[in-house]
Amino acid sequence: MIKRYSLVSYFAGATAARAGDEMAGPALMLAGFALAGSAGQASALLAAITAASAVGGPVLGAVLDRQRRPGRLLAGALVLYATGLTAILVGLGRLPFAVTVLIAVPTGLLGPALSGGWTGQLPRVAPDDRLPRAKALDAMTFGLASLAGPVLAGGLAEALGASTAVAVAVALIASAAPAAWTLPVRPVWERDPRRGSLAGDLAAGLRVIVARPRLARATLASVLCCAAQGMLTACAPVLGEHVLGGAGRGAVLLSCAAVSALTANAVLARFPYVLAPDTIIWAAALLQAGALALAAPGRPAVLVLALLLAGLGEGPQLTALFAVRHREAPERLRGQIFTTGASLKITGFAAGAALAGPLATRSLSGTLTVAAGLAALAAPAFFVVTALTNREPSKKGHVAVS
């Protein structure tokens, strides 16, 4: 009963935190767009809150790996993240926009707590015989969050205003803190009395990601795809206003991708041995590239179809990425590798969002075409990493569900 409660508590907390995070991005974009009337400033706000994850993720992961009670650190990070979002909300329209952007930067340092910070704790929550299924379910919480977040953000923004949408996102993130606080204590056999300095652990984790070809190529491909996804998200308010008749509807449009992502992961969970995770990662990148190219003309019906196709790539790619990380990460550095990987992806997302803002004011279709090119680049990049390494391949793995 204890293990079952722990697993249920884990998924409840992870889903709430991730749904709040998925709400926060579109809600902040809509709030910035409503106040400034500029896609450039709205995307700058989104980019600011995500860019700092390049620093925050590795440090947070290294510190988590050194904690006897990592859940308490996660709980504190969630509370601080929610506090930072509240400060941004209060500052919008009251403080100079540049000051609000500066508040968003330290808030973003804690972003990886909502993704990799949770996932790195999963092996201590799920029994060994249920871990493969738990991994697939963990990836599906991202799909649920991606579905609920934009729908809630867009719906609340249309009905009650973008500020209300940000406030609800804050409440969801904060509500996950109790579940994080009660995560299991790190077992004695996982504590390394010979552990070196924090800087040494940071370097060791990065070396693992770079030195293990299957982990390196999966990470690189996922970062490029996230950059493309950041461009799409930054375009959402403009797409909504120009194509669908309202900026808030652009946020709801993102839920189309989440629906198909969740459906694809459900099918993958039922037939887990159809494709190896490494294959899924590069093939899903090509599918996302094709979907973004299809979305570029901006025709309403085709746009919805394109977002559905994009989700068919995004969902399985995330599940496959988790499988590769769990397979390749040493136990001692697991938390750091998950948060470092999450931070790199979020940084790619931020770069894409920052690039899309100025481009979208000139050409919306051109911006989506550039996003398609970035996603397409992930597939050759995946194989270039393989070609440049002569290391022995690690053991085979599949996205398995027991």
Side-chain angles (χ1 to χ4, degrees):
M1 289 298 294
I2 293 175
K3 286 185 177 180
R4 181 180 179 186
Y5 170 77
S6 296
L7 197 57
V8 170
S9 178
Y10 171 93
F11 284 118
T15 302
R18 290 163 180 168
D21 191 37
E22 291 289 343
M23 271 192 74
L28 286 174
M29 281 282 296
L30 291 170
F33 188 74
L35 290 169
S38 165
Q41 288 194 359
S43 64
L45 185 60
L46 179 63
I49 201 170
T50 53
S53 294
V55 176
V59 173
L60 177 62
V63 174
L64 278 171
D65 285 335
R66 302 165 78 90
Q67 298 297 306
R68 179 172 176 267
R69 294 181 179 273
R72 296 189 176 183
L73 177 61
L74 278 179
L78 289 166
V79 171
L80 289 174
Y81 190 73
T83 302
L85 289 175
T86 302
I88 294 170
L89 177 59
V90 172
L92 280 171
R94 296 180 177 87
L95 298 174
F97 187 75
V99 175
T100 307
V101 170
L102 288 176
I103 295 173
V105 172
T107 301
L109 290 170
L110 303 167
L114 282 70
S115 50
W118 281 91
T119 302
Q121 310 307 311
L122 187 57
R124 282 186 289 277
V125 176
D128 290 342
D129 60 338
R130 297 175 66 187
L131 184 57
R133 182 175 180 81
K135 292 176 187 176
L137 291 174
D138 188 54
M140 289 178 70
T141 67
F142 284 92
L144 286 170
S146 297
L147 171 60
V151 169
L152 287 171
L156 288 171
E158 287 282 319
L160 302 173
S163 295
T164 301
V166 177
V168 172
V170 167
L172 280 171
I173 292 167
S175 72
W181 185 270
T182 57
L183 282 167
V185 176
R186 188 183 302 278
V188 174
W189 59 84
E190 286 188 21
R191 303 173 203 164
D192 186 357
R194 299 168 297 174
R195 186 182 288 276
S197 66
L198 179 62
D201 280 358
L202 284 169
L206 289 171
R207 281 197 300 269
V208 168
I209 292 176
V210 173
R212 299 196 175 192
R214 293 192 176 189
L215 186 55
R217 68 190 187 182
T219 301
L220 177 58
S222 68
V223 169
L224 288 169
C225 286
C226 265
Q229 292 160 20
M231 296 187 74
L232 175 63
T233 301
C235 290
V238 186
L239 282 169
E241 187 173 59
H242 291 179
V243 181
L244 303 177
R249 295 175 186 175
V252 177
L253 181 65
L254 297 176
S255 67
C256 293
V259 168
S260 57
L262 190 61
T263 303
N265 273 343
V267 173
L268 189 63
R270 181 134 181 111
F271 303 101
Y273 298 106
V274 174
L275 292 171
D278 308 84
T279 302
I280 291 173
I281 286 171
W282 66 261
L286 293 178
L287 182 57
Q288 291 175 66
L292 288 166
L294 187 63
R299 294 188 292 271
V302 177
L303 186 61
V304 171
L305 174 62
L307 268 290
L308 290 170
L309 289 175
L312 293 178
E314 290 177 19
Q317 187 182 60
L318 182 62
T319 301
L321 179 63
F322 284 174
V324 171
R325 285 180 185 166
H326 278 294
R327 186 187 69 202
E328 302 291 332
E331 185 63 44
R332 185 176 72 88
L333 299 170
R334 184 182 300 276
Q336 184 189 341
I337 287 172
F338 266 90
T339 51
T340 299
S343 75
L344 291 171
K345 287 185 64 181
I346 295 171
T347 302
F349 185 95
L355 175 63
L359 288 177
T361 59
R362 300 178 182 178
S363 173
L364 191 56
S365 62
T367 304
L368 292 173
T369 300
V370 172
L374 276 175
L377 184 61
F382 181 94
F383 290 107
V384 165
V385 172
T386 304
L388 290 177
T389 57
N390 295 316
R391 302 172 66 89
E392 287 294 321
S394 57
K395 61 184 178 179
K396 292 183 179 181
H398 299 276
V399 183
V401 178
S402 59

